[in-house]
Amino acid sequence: MTLDEPDRPGSDAEWLFAIGEGRGFPNVDGLVAVDGYEPSGRAPEEVAVMEKARDYGARGVFFEAGRHGRAPVAQAFVFDTSTAVDDDEFAELHKRLWSWGGVPLVYRAAPGRIQLFRCAHEPDFVGPQDTPVCRPIRTLVVGADIAAADVWWNAARIRNGTIWDDPVACDLMLSAQKSAHRTLVEEVRALAKQLTDSDLLEPRLRRRLLILALLIAYLEERSVLLPKDFARARKDANRFFEVLGDGAALVKLLEMLEERFNGHVFRLTAEERAALLASSELANYARLVEGREDATGQLSLWRLYSFRDLPVELISNIYQLFVKDAASSSIYTPPALVRLMLEETLSWERLDRLMASDGVILDPACGSGVFLVEAYKRLVLHWRLHNGWARPGVDNLRPLLQRVHGVDVEEGAIELAAFSLCLSLCDALQPEEIRASVRLFPPLADVTLHRICFFEAKEQGLLKAPVAVVVGNPPFESTLTTEGARRSYATYTKIHGLLADMQLAYLFLHEAMELLVPNGILALVEPAGVLYNQNVAPFRRGVFTRWGVREILDFVSVRGLFKKGEADPKIVVVLAEAVVPVADGRILHAVFRRNGRATAEQGFDIDYYDLHWVRNTVARDSADIWRSNLLGGNRVHDLIGRLRQYPTLRDIATRHDWDFGEGFIAGGGNVSRSAEHLVGQPLLPTKALSDTGIDATHLQIVPDQPIEGPRSAKRFTPPLLLVKENEDLHHGLWQGHYLAYKHRIMGFAAKKRDLARLKAVEAWLRKEQTVLRAYVAGISASLFVQRATAILQADILALPYPENEDLDLSDNERIIAQDIVDYQREFIRRGTGSALMRVAPKEALGAFDKTFTAQINAVYARKPLRALDRYHWAGAICGAYVFGDGVVDWSDAEELRAKLNALLHERRGSSLTITRITRLYDQGFVFLLKPDRHRFWTRSIALRDADDVLTDLRAQGF
């Protein structure tokens, strides 16, 4: 039975109505008032957001509770009618908040009415005639009923994060493709292509002027550059675009800016200066760049976005578009990933140690400086933390710039990184401070930023400062692109042997670790193959043997986030310290899932069940641990290990001298081999082998076309057992005529005398299909990482086949296998769209209770645990259980909630509103509190919960 928390019409939003009606600031967990805010003792990340809220005129900020040691995350700004009183003013404010993108939700509370605006989706404020309009996505009036789906009014759901467990809420409120940050990147990309197609100006100059236009737009909107600055360059000019089309005026403006700001940011070469003075194309170029509307008739990027509010790191991300090789080897790095990596790497305690030494932060493939900008922002925040939250001056900020170093071989990357860091310095100052400064920007190129191959820079001793932190996203290339890389590779192979795939990213990892000072730390984005490709095992073993790997952040499940062009690379982040690893030490393997927030690039969530602690020895030696954690954890690893002990299909096929392997490979126009045994023969199309077996009605004839891999006639001679290279292991037995098939089907061609044995194998595949599908999911080097559902021939050959056809599996092992096949595979592929992200159905909750209590009662049989009612509130479910005949002392969801709140406060100093997953014990009662999504209430999770509860009970002496 399930009891729901009672609701009153509008009661979820009472906290907002209280603000709108001026009834004082409500005491709601997670809601922080701007007025009277005291930063002392607060998380630096929180203080930074509270200052932004004050600058925008917000009354309060709503924070989601921090998880696993991370700071609370701002989810909403709350305004009342004292800010932007009329709708036109608030529409302009909405545009600014959307451009900033620091919170996904904005509430505007007025007497009797609450408006909700979204700031991480499309620009709802766009109106006619270039005028923003006030257009909330939802409005709530006093006394109105709140639908169950309207989770955005519920303070508890915002506080514990369950609002973003709901795919409907995510679809409505979040969109990476439509939010300001991603759309601006795409707008600039489209503009750059349009300029290229126009063939106006020389390519390098054309590119540089667009880069400068973005920089000057930022300075202009922040009132760093005033109309009088443009008027000095061209009479009566008030805006940059009025200067851009005039060569002489543009040269004068840039020379004035270079003299004022220094740092070579605005410096023109002699050739560029001459070209601008002589050009007759600048007026057309300026019109195209300013473009009042884009190709679809929408507002141009200069009018749609508020450049003064754009995060400086976003401009650095845009500049990555102009790095010469950005489209090929390096992947798009979402700002949320950059923030996460820097949070994990540059803790405030580590920054204390860094600033007490002369160590520096290095990005060995810095591109436009996205990691360096975020590192610099943390350095500035750290300075403020230790200086009473005072604002740093120029003399404080310049030395901090000397702490971030970058190397890149690509043309233009160092210039762009310097632009990005100089903008970061500006971002930390007030406009009047910038206007008053002289030669503000220090030179960075050839000082802290070097255009050179990283491997050559290391060889030449160019990086003289002690490197305490390495962070970045090196290129993913299976070719050694520089002489320095080739020499580094040669040295590596002499000492350690061949490097898998000659993968450049692995070489960066190895060389960067050797560059670190003792106890230094590295965080690099790496291809997922560093964990999941068995060919990389020697390199992986070396990493875990030589260095103290602290964490592996695994994003294999987050599909599409790192997509670039046609590629969709799967990545992990390796965090390692320059220390000798402890033999019995443990490594955190954090598996991030593709939920609505990750898909929208708003951040990455991690829950208790996705945190896996792996012993160093297991990480070094096990081929299966990483994929097992992707599918559920230690019980999966144990199951895969057990099944690996049995003989395999390869063993039985070899023992009986069967011909086995993939079907033929069709050739290209220039590649063909003799194939008389195939041409004109019956052909089984790959799609004709499905879950129902072989469909002979779809047979075709092998055409007389080039065939690259014809195999032998024996491969296609019956009797045949055919198995498709697909996660579901579709298979069928063929005893008829000669039958050809292609390379995505694997065949076992037995001798006629072995027909009975072949039939037995086919029956075995059918009988144990669930376990075998789960096994393939746990061992395939292809599935999830390279292809969504395709597996390899080696995976089929590795299927276990014991002589007695008895796997001897326990009920619990079969539960693990069933959940992998029914849920986990789809969850990895589809994330938010999978069945596991829906609300747990009643039958699933019943199955959970049955599995959970059975596991506990295997130990506590004399006084068995029994399930009581379940309770729903604020996106969560509480399962209540009691040993024996205990009597409940609550009557409904509200009374139980009060009881659990008291228990949490007493034992952990916590509360229900900030607790997502917990186990609580009170005399003979056990309470499991978790989000209401199905993924938290599967039978395999019931086994894990039972293991944890049994450990707790033993520790309590129960």
Side-chain angles (χ1 to χ4, degrees), residues 16 33 55 66 152 179 241 275 281 331 356 360 367 449 492 498 543 602 643 646 662 690 702 783 838 845 860:
L16 287 165
D55 293 344
W152 34 83
S179 67
F241 285 119
E281 298 177 324
I331 65 169
V360 300
L449 303 174
Y492 178 91
L498 295 177
V543 170
Q602 287 293 301
L643 295 176
Y646 290 112
E662 294 177 331
S690 66
V702 179
L783 195 60
R838 301 179 196 134
L845 295 172
Y860 294 98

Side-chain angles (χ1 to χ4, degrees), residues 308-330:
R308 64 172 164 159
D309 296 289
L310 291 173
V312 66
E313 63 269 22
L314 175 61
I315 296 178
S316 178
N317 221 302
I318 292 169
Y319 280 167
Q320 188 66 25
L321 295 172
F322 301 103
V323 176
K324 179 182 173 185
D325 200 34
S328 59
S329 59
S330 57

